[in-house]
Amino acid sequence: MDEGIASELEGIQLGDERLNRRSSKVLAALAANPEASINAACDGWSDTQAAYRFFDNSAVAPEKILAPHREATVNRMRNQPVALVVQDTTELDFTSHPPRDAKCLNKPDRFGLYDHTLLAVTPEQLCLGVVGGEQFDRDPETLGQADERSTLPIEEKESLRWLTGYRTACELARECPQTQVVSVGDREADIYDIFVEAQQQHFDHFQIARGTADDD
């Protein structure tokens, strides 16, 4: 399993060859024992310290680590007639051992973060890979302010993640022109802004197609 994950992530570019090499070592160690803590997965205290320094480095961004896997996933999508881009949010609850500067989940005494992942799968439930995601948490003073937040523009709401996920699916559709890409979300994704954007996407596509036909 770890060899497969290591090869899938080959080509990570963090702007420093030493960081690139460290990323391969850390990811291979974690993949070999996914249920283990960083301490348990690493080979001794020096490797553990190196792993923590790696994660604390500002050059180590999630999207850079994901980039080669995303590219491999897109290539797999191109070989499919239909690919579903499924998005959903899950909690990472660190209340029992909160990290430094941890913020809240849905209550002031629950610490952790939310992970919103975009997963590409086939209609036959074959997993193709992760194509995007974002993480967020909450400040204690913002809890219980759903009514106040409802008047904010979509760009200032947590629900923007669903629109961002839909936009990612549209990007993937352009990258995989021979594949029908379907954006999938649960009822939390039932927001007006997505339907407006979908309608605009359809209109723009129609205008481009009509322009091409007129040119012919």
Side-chain angles (χ1 to χ4, degrees):
M1 176 179 177
D2 55 318
E3 291 181 1
I5 291 177
S7 63
E8 183 83 0
L9 294 171
E10 284 180 0
I12 290 176
Q13 295 297 325
L14 301 173
D16 186 315
E17 190 55 41
R18 293 168 299 178
L19 282 177
N20 295 341
R21 290 195 299 269
R22 177 57 60 180
S23 71
S24 297
K25 189 169 184 178
V26 170
L27 291 168
L30 295 176
N33 192 356
E35 296 182 356
S37 65
I38 293 175
N39 295 29
C42 292
D43 185 19
W45 180 237
S46 62
D47 277 352
T48 300
Q49 286 182 307
Y52 279 112
R53 286 196 298 269
F54 174 79
F55 289 125
D56 199 39
N57 192 307
S58 59
V60 179
E63 58 271 15
K64 291 182 180 179
I65 293 176
L66 186 65
H69 170 67
R70 184 190 186 280
E71 183 178 352
T73 300
V74 171
N75 287 333
R76 287 189 285 269
M77 290 175 65
R78 292 189 177 113
N79 293 323
Q80 300 294 329
V82 179
L84 313 180
V85 177
V86 183
Q87 55 174 324
D88 205 358
T89 309
T90 188
E91 287 184 347
L92 301 179
D93 190 341
F94 302 135
T95 302
S96 61
H97 192 176
R100 183 182 60 209
D101 300 329
K103 293 185 180 180
C104 299
L105 294 171
N106 63 331
K107 296 180 180 179
D109 57 351
R110 294 189 68 223
F111 300 100
L113 55 89
Y114 293 96
D115 178 63
H116 189 75
T117 297
L118 279 70
L119 183 68
V121 299
T122 70
E124 296 75 29
Q125 303 179 27
L126 174 65
C127 181
L128 301 173
V130 176
V131 291
E134 62 179 282
Q135 297 75 42
F136 65 96
D137 50 20
R138 293 166 175 159
D139 291 309
E141 58 269 21
T142 66
L143 299 178
Q145 296 183 0
D147 291 339
E148 291 86 343
R149 290 199 301 271
S150 65
T151 60
L152 296 174
I154 184 68
E155 291 78 13
E156 298 179 32
K157 295 180 181 180
E158 290 179 1
S159 53
L160 175 64
R161 66 189 188 276
W162 299 101
L163 180 57
T164 301
Y166 172 74
R167 289 170 175 169
T168 298
C170 292
E171 290 175 16
L172 291 164
R174 288 189 286 271
E175 292 181 55
C176 309
Q178 303 305 314
T179 302
Q180 182 182 9
V181 177
V182 181
S183 178
V184 180
D186 63 13
R187 62 182 181 179
E188 195 175 354
D190 185 12
I191 58 177
Y192 178 75
D193 304 82
I194 290 179
F195 292 99
V196 170
E197 185 139 339
Q199 185 179 46
Q200 186 61 48
Q201 291 270 359
H202 176 75
F203 177 78
D204 291 344
H205 178 77
F206 174 76
Q207 290 291 92
I208 292 171
R210 188 177 68 176
T212 303
D214 291 343
D215 292 341
D216 293 341

